[in-house]
Amino acid sequence: MSVQTWTFLIVGLTFALYIGIAIWSRAGSTKEFYIAGGGVHPIANGMATAADWMSAASFISMAGLISFMGYDGGVFLMGWTGGYVLLALLLAPYLRKFGKFTVPDFIGDRYYSNVARTVAVICAIIVSFTYVAGQMRGVGVVFSRFLEVDINMGVYIGMAIVLIYAVLGGMKGITYTQVAQYCVLIFAYMVPALFISLTMTGNVIPQLGFIGTVEDGSGAYLLDKLDQLHRDLGFAEYTSGSKDMIDVFAITFALMVGTAGLPHVIVRFFTVPKVADARKSAGWALLFIAILYTTAPAVAAFARTNLINTVTNTEYAQMPDWFKKWEETALLAWVDKNNDGVIQYQKGAPFVGKPEQVRENGEAVRGQYGEVKITNAPSTDNANELYIDQDIMVLANPEIANLPAWVIALVAAGGLAAALSTAAGLLLVISTAVSRDLIKMQIKPNISEKAELWWARGGAAAAVLVAGYFGIHPPGFVAATVALAFGLAAASFFPAIVLGVFDKRMNREGAVSGMIVGILLMLYYMLKYKLGYFGGGGKDDWWFGISPEGFGTVAMVVNLIVSFTVSRLTAAPPQEVQDIVEDIRIPRGAGGAHAH
Amino acid sequence: MSGKNLQEYWKKNLGYVAILLAIWFLVSYVFGIFLADSLNAVRIGGAKLGFWFAQQGSIYVFVVLIFVYVYLMNKLDNEYDVHEE
């Protein structure tokens, strides 16, 4: 069977599975819609959290990103896993004991203020929309590459699927589809990784192959060989960093704290029956995430070595089929600067911008050696002739390693599972923010449960449409704002929640002023140094040498200082709030989540 | 449960959290970032140790830390009789 047939088959089967689960587990009450009825097994919740957390970017782009960053890629690996330790130790058990449905619920009640609640709602919506736009785009991209449909068509199909199970099933439907999606995505990630590890290092476990020797008779360690290749081609050594240490620290910290403050992750811990389960569930979630996150750097190193070996100083005519196929997608491009028909791969950009192909009647035009012609002006300051998009490292891996057609189809299904599961989790946060935190808690407190459920479904449907719009017309600032999402969460939610649990004296004035100062500072820094407002500025102007991606760390510290200072200068919180804090510190009496 | 016991329970919990977070900080920030260059003189298999902590080791330790916390707290909850039925 061809790759295309396999892809239709496997993707079709997984979609049928997701919709089947959604129909079986549709929500009948707001409690089921918001927190899946509160009866999810901790291991199931761990899988759902892992799928919720690992997006199209984790699945498709991360290994490629690391393979181009080398050591510096560790900021993502540590940053996106270390946050779960903070979640398990500082947030999840207490929020579970508190027993409400959303993060703004906690902030609003703990700080006895609808202003605090509204600030939290706004943050939740900004963070989630930022994220979800990228996911819908990811769905479109995967569809277009593997099923050869238009990207926009891919976005529509993705919207339809998510609409069915998010609107129908709410958190309950999402939870059980995410469990299935985790299984699909981890299987799809591991199969090619195991194959490649075995062929390259003779060890089937990628994590061991990563630190093992290359299977080419030389007996050299893989990472030593890769460092050598990098030196030969004029790149920095793979295992050494090129970022400043302070910035590596700040980015890692901001990602960890931001992860622990993301509402779509936190809300998953409301769905387990007990406080002890919330702790346990965070452990399972991280274990399931770690399987992919410890494989990714191995895949990155394998793919990098493979790629350099295949292309460097080899005639274009001898390139394997996958090279020519992926050229068509503009993820690969070659300009023969010195007209020798041989690919020279070195440090530097081969040409200005992304490849612009010459196309006639929808077909790419090929040049004298058979290469896809591009119109970009070649850069003259280096001899590099090859353009490689980082996404190709995972997407083309099965072909590079000569794996069978069904594995290639599996990767498509895995990428879709990763994108859909994250999109659904985010959409739920948005719909809940509308139906519960705004309508029920602020505008119409007397609303019936049935009407609230309809608001929740309507909110989810509206959110899908908006997300789809952003997927089709991606705003240019999406890449910049994903970092902003972490920074925002780090600068707002994380301190407010942690102080709410660990500092009984923390009051409304302190928390609200801390959140507002933290968010504004973060926004200012991002707008100035990422998007060029307020006079812009480059690397040399950064405060303390910290990039906008890492600035969430600074904004969080400022939030903490402001919160602490203001709270000590204003009145202590009322006695009943202090009693709440005492109560959430002990597990007993958690029971089910309650609406009032 | 009396107020004194509750305070004691909370203090022990904070002690566990402080120790586990110190390890969390040590493996990621100290081993993986601040001392990475010096640790790179040592090797684990074919990987330099600082590099390995940044891309592998810290993640393994994170997983272990959470399960250790689960174990410690389940024990503590029973000891102070604040566990859930």
Side-chain angles (χ1 to χ4, degrees):
Chain A
M1 274 198 287
S2 72
V3 172
Q4 184 107 358
T5 322
W6 271 114
T7 309
F8 275 111
L9 190 72
I10 295 183
V11 170
L13 280 176
T14 56
F15 278 20
L17 175 70
Y18 305 153
I19 291 175
I21 293 173
I23 293 170
W24 164 72
S25 62
R26 62 193 178 279
S29 66
T30 50
K31 192 174 162 186
E32 286 188 340
F33 196 94
Y34 293 146
I35 57 166
V40 180
H41 189 277
I43 296 182
N45 189 51
M47 283 192 189
T49 310
D52 203 20
W53 172 238
M54 292 190 286
S55 59
S58 288
F59 189 91
I60 299 168
S61 309
M62 196 173 61
L65 199 62
I66 297 166
S67 85
F68 284 93
M69 292 174 76
Y71 164 82
D72 288 339
V75 299
F76 300 113
L77 295 165
M78 291 190 286
W80 286 333
T81 52
Y84 282 85
V85 179
L86 299 175
L87 258 172
L89 271 54
L90 303 177
L91 306 174
Y94 308 108
L95 290 171
R96 175 62 196 83
K97 175 65 195 293
F98 176 69
K100 293 289 177 69
F101 294 151
T102 67
V103 173
D105 259 346
F106 176 79
I107 306 250
D109 286 9
R110 169 63 182 83
Y111 296 116
Y112 44 100
S113 148
N114 271 341
V115 176
R117 192 188 305 273
T118 309
V119 172
V121 170
I122 293 170
C123 291
I125 290 180
I126 294 178
V127 170
S128 304
F129 262 125
T130 310
Y131 244 81
V132 84
Q135 298 308 314
M136 294 318 265
R137 189 75 188 163
V139 173
V141 169
V142 173
F143 267 111
S144 76
R145 279 182 205 155
F146 288 95
L147 297 179
E148 290 170 30
V149 295
D150 187 49
I151 289 193
N152 292 351
M153 192 61 206
V155 174
Y156 293 130
I157 300 173
M159 279 167 68
I161 301 283
V162 174
L163 197 68
I164 292 173
Y165 68 76
V167 172
L168 196 67
M171 188 56 137
K172 199 174 164 204
I174 287 173
T175 300
Y176 294 106
T177 28
Q178 280 174 340
V179 171
Q181 282 161 339
Y182 175 77
C183 298
V184 171
L185 84 85
I186 203 69
F187 187 65
Y189 203 82
M190 295 311 291
V191 167
L194 299 177
F195 270 115
I196 294 168
S197 182
L198 186 64
T199 33
M200 282 197 73
T201 67
N203 195 325
V204 75
I205 314 269
Q207 287 82 348
L208 296 178
F210 186 49
I211 57 170
T213 51
V214 204
E215 191 91 317
D216 62 356
S218 67
Y221 284 115
L222 173 83
L223 288 165
D224 289 340
K225 183 176 172 187
L226 187 50
D227 275 345
Q228 185 61 45
L229 287 170
H230 266 226
R231 276 193 298 270
D232 293 348
L233 300 178
F235 293 101
E237 267 191 9
Y238 188 80
T239 55
S240 326
S242 49
K243 281 184 194 288
D244 290 338
M245 191 183 282
I246 176 87
D247 200 28
V248 171
F249 167 77
I251 296 176
T252 311
F253 202 83
L255 292 177
M256 283 196 191
V257 173
T259 302
L262 285 175
H264 72 286
V265 175
I266 294 176
V267 77
R268 288 237 48 98
F269 295 95
F270 290 81
T271 65
V272 292
K274 294 195 296 182
V275 173
D277 293 334
R279 298 184 197 123
K280 209 186 293 172
S281 191
W284 284 110
L286 184 57
L287 178 68
F288 293 132
I289 292 167
I291 296 174
L292 191 146
Y293 271 58
T294 53
T295 304
V299 169
F302 299 150
R304 183 84 185 147
T305 312
N306 228 337
L307 182 89
I308 295 177
N309 276 337
T310 309
V311 300
T312 320
N313 295 323
T314 314
E315 278 181 43
Y316 178 87
Q318 290 176 356
M319 280 299 112
D321 285 342
W322 63 262
F323 190 97
K324 291 164 187 172
K325 180 186 155 196
W326 286 89
E327 261 187 299
E328 300 258 354
T329 62
L331 292 180
L332 266 181
W334 175 57
V335 281
D336 196 8
K337 286 183 185 168
N338 54 1
N339 294 312
D340 60 356
V342 175
I343 297 174
Q344 268 90 30
Y345 180 46
Q346 293 177 12
K347 189 179 163 68
F351 43 73
V352 186
K354 298 208 167 213
E356 300 289 340
Q357 299 180 338
V358 186
R359 286 189 169 263
E360 268 168 25
N361 307 325
E363 297 278 314
V365 177
R366 291 189 175 261
Q368 76 177 111
Y369 300 102
E371 82 278 14
V372 171
K373 272 191 171 172
I374 49 169
T375 56
N376 306 52
S379 329
T380 48
D381 59 344
N382 66 68
N384 182 27
E385 299 180 340
L386 193 66
Y387 170 89
I388 308 165
D389 187 293
Q390 64 197 32
D391 287 357
I392 207 167
M393 292 295 183
V394 166
L395 293 173
N397 233 343
E399 288 153 277
I400 297 176
N402 272 321
L403 300 183
W406 63 268
V407 179
I408 301 169
L410 199 58
V411 171
L416 287 168
L420 290 173
S421 57
T422 308
L426 291 161
L427 291 169
L428 191 89
V429 168
I430 297 169
S431 79
T432 315
V434 173
S435 65
R436 178 169 177 86
D437 301 325
L438 284 179
I439 306 286
K440 166 88 177 170
M441 300 307 289
Q442 304 204 34
I443 297 170
K444 268 177 82 178
N446 299 326
I447 193 169
S448 73
E449 166 149 344
K450 214 171 163 194
E452 191 187 343
L453 193 55
W454 278 111
W455 271 102
R457 292 191 206 278
V464 173
L465 296 179
V466 177
Y469 176 83
F470 282 131
I472 290 165
H473 307 279
F477 55 84
V478 158
T481 46
V482 169
L484 177 70
F486 284 92
L488 272 177
S492 58
F493 288 133
F494 184 80
I497 300 172
V498 169
L499 289 171
V501 176
F502 289 86
D503 181 18
K504 216 197 298 181
R505 178 68 175 72
M506 183 48 57
N507 61 8
R508 171 179 61 196
E509 291 78 4
V512 171
S513 52
M515 279 199 285
I516 291 176
V517 172
I519 289 167
L520 290 181
L521 184 64
M522 184 68 215
L523 278 173
Y524 168 78
Y525 200 80
M526 291 291 302
L527 289 173
K528 184 169 168 68
Y529 292 111
K530 195 86 191 177
L531 300 174
Y533 293 94
F534 308 119
K539 199 170 187 272
D540 296 334
D541 308 316
W542 290 349
W543 303 3
F544 323 111
I546 292 174
S547 61
E549 288 76 11
F551 194 73
T553 302
V554 179
M556 184 203 75
V557 172
V558 171
N559 177 334
L560 285 175
I561 295 171
V562 170
S563 301
F564 201 78
T565 314
V566 172
S567 71
R568 293 311 186 267
L569 297 173
T570 45
Q575 190 56 44
E576 67 260 29
V577 170
Q578 301 198 27
D579 292 344
I580 294 180
V581 178
E582 287 290 344
D583 184 59
I584 58 176
R585 288 179 176 182
I586 56 162
R588 173 157 297 172
H594 38 84
H596 296 284
Chain B
M1 192 169 92
S2 73
K4 186 169 170 289
N5 269 345
L6 175 66
Q7 273 180 13
E8 220 177 272
Y9 167 82
W10 185 244
K11 235 188 191 151
K12 283 203 175 164
N13 176 19
L14 292 183
Y16 292 155
V17 169
I19 293 169
L20 294 175
L21 285 185
I23 301 174
W24 166 82
F25 191 86
L26 185 76
V27 292
S28 50
Y29 296 100
V30 178
F31 291 172
I33 299 176
F34 300 135
L35 297 183
D37 280 346
S38 333
L39 284 183
N40 277 346
V42 184
R43 281 169 165 260
I44 174 165
K48 299 171 180 167
L49 195 58
F51 172 83
W52 184 81
F53 264 107
Q55 300 214 338
Q56 298 270 300
S58 56
I59 302 176
Y60 300 133
V61 178
F62 294 158
V63 176
V64 173
L65 286 178
I66 299 183
F67 283 107
V68 167
Y69 184 65
V70 169
Y71 170 78
L72 290 174
M73 287 309 284
N74 285 347
K75 228 174 79 176
L76 195 67
D77 289 348
N78 279 320
E79 207 175 294
Y80 283 83
D81 196 30
V82 292
H83 60 285
E84 304 142 286
E85 275 77 39

